[in-house]
Amino acid sequence: HSSNNRILRLCSHLSNNQLCAAGHHFGPVFIQEPDDVIFPLDSDEKKVVMHCEARGNPPPTYSWYVNRTEVDAEADYRYGFIDGNFIITNASEITDYGRYQCKAENSFGTVLSRDALLQFAYLRTFSGKTRGGVSVREGQGVVLMCAPPPHSPEIIYSWVFNEFPSFVAEDSRRFISQETGNLYISKVQPSDVGSYICLVKNTATNARVLSPPTPLTLKTDGVMGEYEPKIEVHFPTSVLAAKGVTVRLECFALGNPVPTITWRKINGNIPKKARLRKSQAVLEIPNIQLEDSGTYECKAENPRGGTAFKGHLQVYSESEMDSGEKLQWECKATGRPRPTYRWLRNGLPLTSQVPTSLHSTSLLLLIADSGMYQCVAENKYGAIYSNAELKILASAPVFVHNPVRVIATLGKDVSLECKPRASPKPRITWKRGDRRIQLSRRIMLLRNNTLRIVNSSRADEGNYVCRAENQLGSAEMTAVLSFVLPDAMRVELSPSRVEVTVGESVVLSCKATHDTSLDVAFQWFFNQRPINFQQDGQSSTVDLMIRSILLKHAGKYGCRAQTSADTVLAEAELLVRGPPGPPGVVIVEEISDTTATLSWSRGLDNHSPISTYNLQARSPFSLGWQTVKTDPDPVTGDMESAMAVELNPWVEYEFRVVASNAIGTGDPSAPSRGVRTKEAVPSVAPANVSGGNGRRHELVISWEPVSEEFQNGEGFGYIVAFRANGTRGWKEKMVTSADSTTYKYRDETFPPLTPFEVKVGVYNNKGDGPFSRVVIIHSAEGEPREAPTDVKAQSISSSEIRVTWKPPNPGPGRPRGYESPDIFRIYWKDMEQEESGQKQRTVRNETSMVLTGLEGNSLYLITVKGFNSIGQGPATAAVTAKTRKAPPAHPPSNLMWIQEGNNVSLSWDPVKAKDNESDVIGYMVLLKQEGRGHNQVTRTINPSTMLSLPEGGTYIIEVRALSEGGEGAVSSQVRLVTSSGKLVSLLPSQPHTPLHDL
């Protein structure tokens, strides 16, 4: 655009723009802008480098801003500059965290870089506090908390089981949340018992720390029954994610049986690019776009029920800018939320410097002056910059490359380009030799000044001259055109057809035969789409290796070789053999009480014939999918129907089919709809029939209930049959509750411990099932009929009496235990205080007991009775016993001692008993060494004794008087400290009388 005879030059931010080439003066253009930096606090260097580089002529100078404030390098010795790079030594999280921006400027203008965030990476250690154990029932769900230490930035969680490096493997039953770090076990098994340690790893530094262990144990009060799922891990109800990132949604539930997780998008489909991870507990959506927004639901289900969670995913985007290279610039950006705009000229806000006008969706800038211009589009998630330079200049035409050699294929179309650098725009003419080229249908001039020759021939070879001219001068460029034959280039791709098996590797080799004077470049294609790499080169051969092949790698591979003269494409077919694909939908054609006829459609055999099919079923009573028996057996690969046999009646089943071939077993089909087998007569009898005990005249019968899985229909119950030994007719009683485990029959006509033959059967609405085997069960026994005999009572101290007796004998012909006591009760009372009667029971079948806590010198009346589960028997005749007088209450006193070598001679004043105390019959001396568990006890009838001290140490001596009433009060302690048998000091623990001649 020209105005007032001035020539305007526009230099965009693109680094390869020819208008910005060396040799011309122009304003700064960024080659490298600062990136976000995460700096490890434990780095040895402690040095952060923020990079910035710009092109410009003259070369630009640099300055830096942190949090919008210009950095003063002289104010902080830690700051330094090398070219445009900003260096911070001894970086500190407290002082240096923030947003950094580079400014580049020269005499033609100023530009500001994008903001770069400087963060600091660290990972503290866990608290050393011991973690409490977790105890749950088998079958119950549990959550083990990680409680990670402070960290920055993100961390990765894993769990160690018992000892490093044994890691917890995640599956449908165990899940580690990467949001909370917690370990979730939906259904605890005995194998889960052990010690769990949370391991966290810093994503920036790879540093790792371990938590204290958390023990997991099983309770012994039973097994947790089945219960419906409870979702413990879920994503937020509102998820906000940036466009282009990968979104990871977590969902995991506790439950018994282990729940199955499924996902769906409300009012839409889950994106095809989405992937399910960790047994479907994680939904991962890569490269998220605006159309992926919506409400997502995860559902957890098991046979006991289901529960669901919903959350809304909203996608936002940073501004995306399109700036036109025009004198009248229009700055447009897209983003969510909608971006706002601001303009900079030479790094400063553009206000009244030049005319501007603001519109709702764009900003129109009417440019009148030279300088560096920047449009900044921003929303709350970020800001981006678009740069351009406006400069007044003039230049004559210049060709960068001259002459130019063009080699083309004979008979094909040829294009000769003419692209001079010039301002203002030059006028272009083409000539061949001295004559101007005459344009025609075969030779034409395109709008971009390119000369086009259609259906070339040998006559077209030669030199072509492009002349560019403006008011400042002119220049010419010569294009030398030559041809190669059409078949001069060939491409061979070998092998052209290859068959491989999943997991193998293959190499496709592409070889080009071409004019050796031309460079050749290769490009690979898969099913006509370019593969994301390109092989340039001087070599005439290029190989493509595919490692660990998957089924998805099957297809057509193309190799395109290209020279300046020609382009040739060759293709090869790759066929991949693998396990079969999943069979089609499974249909239950017929159902009986024990069979189900299934049909399905064939899935892909993946180039290896299907050999067999495996039929699987699951029910509320199975642990997941189980293989079922079939008719025929085996089910061969040419079949598409079979019968599942030996099913249980009146059970709801789902079925699926799995195909196998020589390569392996494929994925299963989708489950069939749930169907219930028909009812049938029960076929399983109760187990472990037993009984006994109960009250007098009762026959108690018990059994293990039959599982619902084997009840075979509605109206299930039990038939209890019994008869006394030696009789013929059975008595039968109906028990209508399927959960019953006991039946009691009462008849006062049969004596205790009568033997009965007993069996228990089953029935339902379809009829009677089998009985258990016959067992012998005795009716309840009666209470004891006889009293114990030979009762004796003997005083053994002032507070104790020993009582003994003989149990009654069963009558002749009676079985042992018949009406016999299991336990005995002893009754006693003080003759002087008859209201103070007491009783005490024995442990089973004991025939003696020591009565304790009695009054000294007192007469007691004692009787014994027998007891069993029915009641008590008659009491024995009473016997009497008198406790002995109490031992002396006064302790030995005036302890004295003399050392003689390794021996100590000890004496004390005799103890005299009072009238109400037992006479003294001797003394007990206790010698104990501190730090040792062994005590030495010496008894003597005299008030003196000799003690041996075998080794050095500290000894304590105590003395008690002995009497028929027991041990008397203890004396004060004497403490002796010795070394190798030599007495060092005498240390009484209480005042005593020492000997004066020691």
Side-chain angles (χ1 to χ4, degrees):
H1 178 81
S2 63
S3 175
N4 298 327
N5 296 321
R6 293 185 301 174
I7 299 174
L8 303 180
R9 172 187 168 204
L10 186 68
C11 180
S12 81
H13 65 283
L14 296 176
S15 61
N16 63 349
N17 191 300
Q18 291 182 353
L19 296 177
C20 298
H24 292 277
H25 294 281
F26 58 93
V29 178
F30 282 115
I31 298 174
Q32 183 179 22
E33 296 185 67
D35 292 320
D36 293 343
V37 175
I38 300 176
F39 183 74
L41 281 177
D42 58 358
S43 171
D44 293 334
E45 288 190 5
K46 292 293 182 183
K47 182 185 294 183
V48 177
V49 180
M50 306 290 284
H51 295 281
C52 180
E53 183 180 359
R55 295 169 57 251
N57 192 5
T61 59
Y62 302 91
S63 55
W64 281 82
Y65 292 81
V66 57
N67 298 327
R68 308 296 182 191
T69 302
E70 186 171 3
V71 173
D72 184 358
E74 296 181 357
D76 194 329
Y77 71 93
R78 300 179 303 118
Y79 294 160
F81 298 93
I82 298 180
D83 297 328
N85 300 330
F86 180 33
I87 301 172
I88 308 173
T89 56
N90 295 322
S92 164
E93 179 189 12
I94 298 175
T95 59
D96 299 318
Y97 174 89
R99 293 192 172 275
Y100 289 73
Q101 197 170 25
C102 172
K103 183 172 76 173
E105 57 186 325
N106 66 9
S107 56
F108 291 94
T110 301
V111 289
L112 287 172
S113 74
R114 65 177 292 275
D115 285 345
L117 178 63
L118 172 58
Q119 304 178 76
F120 291 83
Y122 61 89
L123 178 60
R124 309 283 188 246
T125 58
F126 281 91
S127 167
K129 184 178 179 181
T130 301
R131 297 193 173 189
V134 178
S135 184
V136 296
R137 294 186 180 92
E138 181 182 347
Q140 187 176 354
V142 71
V143 182
L144 301 182
M145 304 296 184
C146 179
H151 59 273
S152 177
E154 297 304 316
I155 54 178
I156 298 174
Y157 299 89
S158 55
W159 282 77
V160 176
F161 182 53
N162 286 334
E163 61 182 14
F164 188 86
S166 175
F167 288 93
V168 174
E170 295 182 80
D171 50 29
S172 61
R173 195 173 60 84
R174 295 170 292 189
F175 176 70
I176 300 171
S177 170
Q178 293 303 316
E179 297 294 331
T180 65
N182 298 338
L183 170 61
Y184 299 83
I185 304 177
S186 63
K187 173 187 173 185
V188 173
Q189 298 176 353
S191 60
D192 296 323
V193 171
S195 177
Y196 290 82
I197 298 171
C198 181
L199 184 148
V200 296
K201 177 182 176 181
N202 191 298
T203 56
T205 65
N206 288 328
R208 300 188 300 181
V209 293
L210 296 167
S211 73
T214 300
L216 176 63
T217 59
L218 287 182
K219 293 182 178 179
T220 58
D221 57 352
V223 176
M224 186 76 171
E226 295 185 353
Y227 62 94
E228 64 182 13
K230 177 185 178 185
I231 292 180
E232 284 286 343
V233 182
H234 56 74
F235 50 99
T237 55
S238 180
V239 179
L240 193 61
K243 178 181 175 183
V245 304
T246 297
V247 170
R248 191 175 183 274
L249 306 179
E250 295 184 342
C251 184
F252 189 75
L254 309 184
N256 185 5
V258 175
T260 300
I261 305 295
T262 56
W263 292 83
R264 71 185 182 111
K265 184 181 180 185
I266 308 299
N267 298 327
N269 296 321
I270 289 180
K272 291 183 179 180
K273 61 190 174 184
R275 297 291 182 266
L276 290 172
R277 312 285 190 196
K278 297 188 177 182
S279 300
Q280 304 194 138
V282 174
L283 175 65
E284 194 172 272
I285 310 175
N287 189 26
I288 196 161
Q289 300 298 314
L290 296 177
E291 60 267 21
D292 298 328
S293 298
T295 300
Y296 289 77
E297 177 189 76
C298 75
K299 190 172 185 180
E301 296 178 286
N302 69 8
R304 290 294 178 179
T307 183
F309 178 83
K310 297 177 183 177
H312 186 73
L313 172 62
Q314 180 179 352
V315 181
Y316 70 84
S317 64
E318 293 185 353
S319 305
E320 299 175 354
M321 184 175 297
D322 178 19
S323 62
E325 295 182 341
K326 301 177 181 178
L327 176 59
Q328 179 174 300
W329 275 325
E330 184 176 12
C331 182
K332 290 184 178 179
T334 60
R336 184 177 293 178
R338 180 177 296 172
T340 59
Y341 305 89
R342 56 189 174 92
W343 285 80
L344 305 176
R345 179 172 178 267
N346 293 329
L348 299 175
L350 187 62
T351 53
S352 59
Q353 299 180 53
V354 294
T356 62
S357 62
L358 179 64
H359 297 269
S360 59
T361 60
S362 65
L363 181 69
L364 298 178
L365 177 64
L366 307 179
I367 301 177
D369 295 322
S370 298
M372 297 301 302
Y373 289 83
Q374 293 179 285
C375 174
V376 185
E378 56 191 337
N379 59 20
K380 65 179 181 179
Y381 298 108
I384 60 173
Y385 293 71
S386 181
N387 309 332
E389 178 188 12
L390 179 65
K391 185 178 180 183
I392 300 173
L393 54 82
S395 68
V398 174
F399 288 98
V400 177
H401 300 290
N402 190 17
V404 176
R405 184 186 180 196
V406 179
I407 302 176
T409 301
L410 190 64
K412 294 189 177 182
D413 297 347
V414 179
S415 295
L416 302 179
E417 293 183 339
C418 180
K419 292 184 177 181
R421 288 198 328 213
S423 182
K425 186 176 181 180
R427 181 171 59 88
I428 302 297
T429 57
W430 282 90
K431 61 182 180 178
R432 188 176 182 189
D434 296 331
R435 299 177 60 185
R436 186 168 181 171
I437 293 177
Q438 298 298 317
L439 301 179
S440 64
R441 290 186 177 181
R442 199 177 73 85
I443 302 177
M444 60 192 72
L445 185 64
L446 304 182
R447 286 187 177 182
N448 62 355
N449 299 319
T450 296
L451 188 67
R452 181 85 165 167
I453 303 174
V454 179
N455 191 20
S456 61
S457 67
R458 285 289 185 189
D460 296 320
E461 280 187 328
N463 296 343
Y464 293 78
V465 177
C466 171
R467 178 179 176 82
E469 184 176 7
N470 65 11
Q471 59 264 45
L472 299 178
S474 64
E476 291 184 348
M477 182 272 297
T478 301
V480 181
L481 176 61
S482 60
F483 292 101
V484 295
L485 295 176
D487 59 350
M489 182 174 178
R490 295 191 307 276
V491 173
E492 179 184 358
L493 182 55
S494 63
S496 60
R497 188 177 187 275
V498 60
E499 295 185 7
V500 293
T501 301
V502 166
E504 295 179 348
S505 299
V506 69
V507 175
L508 300 178
S509 182
C510 183
K511 183 177 181 180
T513 303
H514 62 95
D515 189 330
T516 56
S517 64
L518 304 178
D519 291 338
V520 63
F522 294 90
Q523 184 171 14
W524 286 93
F525 295 83
F526 176 56
N527 292 334
Q528 299 181 344
R529 292 187 177 183
I531 300 177
N532 291 333
F533 60 84
Q534 183 170 345
Q535 177 69 39
D536 300 320
Q538 311 297 322
S539 172
S540 299
T541 304
V542 63
D543 293 338
L544 173 66
M545 172 175 280
I546 310 172
R547 303 177 187 272
S548 302
I549 285 178
L550 303 175
L551 290 172
K552 67 180 182 180
H553 294 141
K556 284 191 174 181
Y557 288 82
C559 173
R560 185 175 71 185
Q562 183 174 9
T563 66
S564 59
D566 204 359
T567 298
V568 182
L569 176 70
E571 287 188 322
E573 184 178 5
L574 177 62
L575 187 147
V576 180
R577 295 186 299 265
V585 60
V586 177
I587 298 174
V588 182
E589 303 282 0
E590 294 182 14
I591 193 79
S592 72
D593 56 348
T594 60
T595 65
T597 302
L598 310 178
S599 66
W600 60 90
S601 57
R602 293 176 59 86
L604 297 174
D605 64 7
N606 291 325
H607 308 291
S608 177
I610 296 174
S611 55
T612 58
Y613 287 102
N614 178 261
L615 274 58
Q616 298 177 345
R618 69 177 176 187
S619 72
F621 311 105
S622 66
L623 293 175
W625 291 95
Q626 304 289 330
T627 298
V628 296
K629 294 185 178 180
T630 60
D631 182 16
D633 182 22
V635 181
T636 57
D638 57 348
M639 302 177 64
E640 294 186 15
S641 67
M643 180 184 291
V645 299
E646 296 185 17
L647 305 176
N648 290 328
W650 200 241
V651 171
E652 185 168 310
Y653 286 96
E654 290 178 285
F655 298 95
R656 71 181 187 185
V657 179
V658 182
S660 298
N661 60 14
I663 309 301
T665 299
D667 293 331
S669 67
S672 72
R673 63 181 179 87
V675 293
R676 185 184 286 272
T677 50
K678 298 185 181 301
E679 293 182 276
V681 173
S683 57
V684 175
N688 294 331
V689 177
S690 60
N693 296 324
R695 304 180 65 183
R696 188 177 181 86
H697 304 302
E698 279 185 349
L699 174 64
V700 180
I701 302 169
S702 60
W703 61 89
E704 288 186 8
V706 175
S707 166
E708 183 182 351
E709 182 179 5
F710 303 107
Q711 293 177 8
N712 291 9
E714 294 184 317
F716 181 84
Y718 300 95
I719 304 172
V720 181
F722 53 92
R723 65 183 178 187
N725 266 8
T727 60
R728 299 186 61 182
W730 289 91
K731 289 188 178 184
E732 292 188 351
K733 300 294 181 181
M734 308 291 285
V735 179
T736 59
S737 173
D739 298 325
S740 295
T741 59
T742 304
Y743 175 75
K744 294 181 179 179
Y745 176 71
R746 183 173 179 82
D747 188 341
E748 296 187 2
T749 62
F750 55 78
L753 291 177
T754 300
F756 283 84
E757 293 180 284
V758 178
K759 59 183 179 180
V760 181
V762 289
Y763 72 92
N764 63 15
N765 290 347
K766 298 292 288 186
D768 295 349
F771 277 93
S772 68
R773 65 181 181 85
V774 176
V775 297
I776 301 298
I777 300 175
H778 288 82
S779 63
E781 63 181 348
E783 68 274 6
R785 297 292 185 88
E786 304 290 337
T789 60
D790 199 16
V791 179
K792 297 179 180 178
Q794 181 181 4
S795 173
I796 55 177
S797 73
S798 62
S799 61
E800 298 171 314
I801 295 177
R802 182 183 300 279
V803 183
T804 61
W805 62 90
K806 293 181 179 178
N809 293 320
R814 303 286 184 127
R816 182 168 180 81
Y818 173 76
E819 295 179 341
S820 62
D822 292 327
I823 58 175
F824 297 91
R825 282 190 181 148
I826 298 91
Y827 297 80
W828 70 93
K829 59 183 178 180
D830 191 329
M831 292 291 291
E832 296 180 1
Q833 302 177 13
E834 294 191 4
E835 70 278 0
S836 62
Q838 299 183 59
K839 60 185 176 182
Q840 188 170 338
R841 59 187 293 171
T842 66
V843 180
R844 177 180 291 270
N845 294 329
E846 286 190 354
T847 58
S848 68
M849 174 176 285
V850 174
L851 307 181
T852 60
L854 307 179
E855 294 291 333
N857 199 28
S858 299
L859 184 65
Y860 284 88
L861 189 66
I862 302 168
T863 59
V864 182
K865 289 182 180 180
F867 278 78
N868 62 15
S869 60
I870 305 303
Q872 65 180 4
T876 63
V879 297
T880 60
K882 186 175 183 180
T883 56
R884 300 179 181 183
K885 292 181 181 181
H890 184 71
S893 60
N894 199 22
L895 271 66
M896 295 177 289
W897 57 90
I898 298 175
Q899 182 189 11
E900 299 175 357
N902 291 338
N903 299 322
V904 173
S905 176
L906 181 68
S907 63
W908 57 89
D909 292 344
V911 177
K912 294 184 178 180
K914 297 181 180 179
D915 292 341
N916 62 346
E917 294 178 342
S918 299
D919 292 337
V920 175
I921 59 176
Y923 299 91
M924 181 180 70
V925 180
L926 176 66
L927 175 66
K928 52 187 177 181
Q929 185 177 4
E930 286 190 350
R932 300 291 183 90
H934 178 69
N935 297 331
Q936 178 182 331
V937 178
T938 303
R939 299 179 184 271
T940 176
I941 60 173
N942 300 314
S944 63
T945 187
M946 183 70 71
L947 301 176
S948 175
L949 308 179
E951 58 184 24
T954 301
Y955 292 87
I956 297 174
I957 301 174
E958 296 175 349
V959 182
R960 296 174 183 265
L962 298 177
S963 70
E964 291 183 348
E967 298 176 1
V970 65
S971 70
S972 60
Q973 290 185 346
V974 173
R975 187 182 298 266
L976 303 179
V977 180
T978 67
S979 176
S980 301
K982 180 178 180 182
L983 187 62
V984 175
S985 62
L986 305 176
L987 301 173
S989 62
Q990 298 179 14
H992 65 288
T993 305
L995 296 180
H996 296 291
D997 58 350
L998 285 180

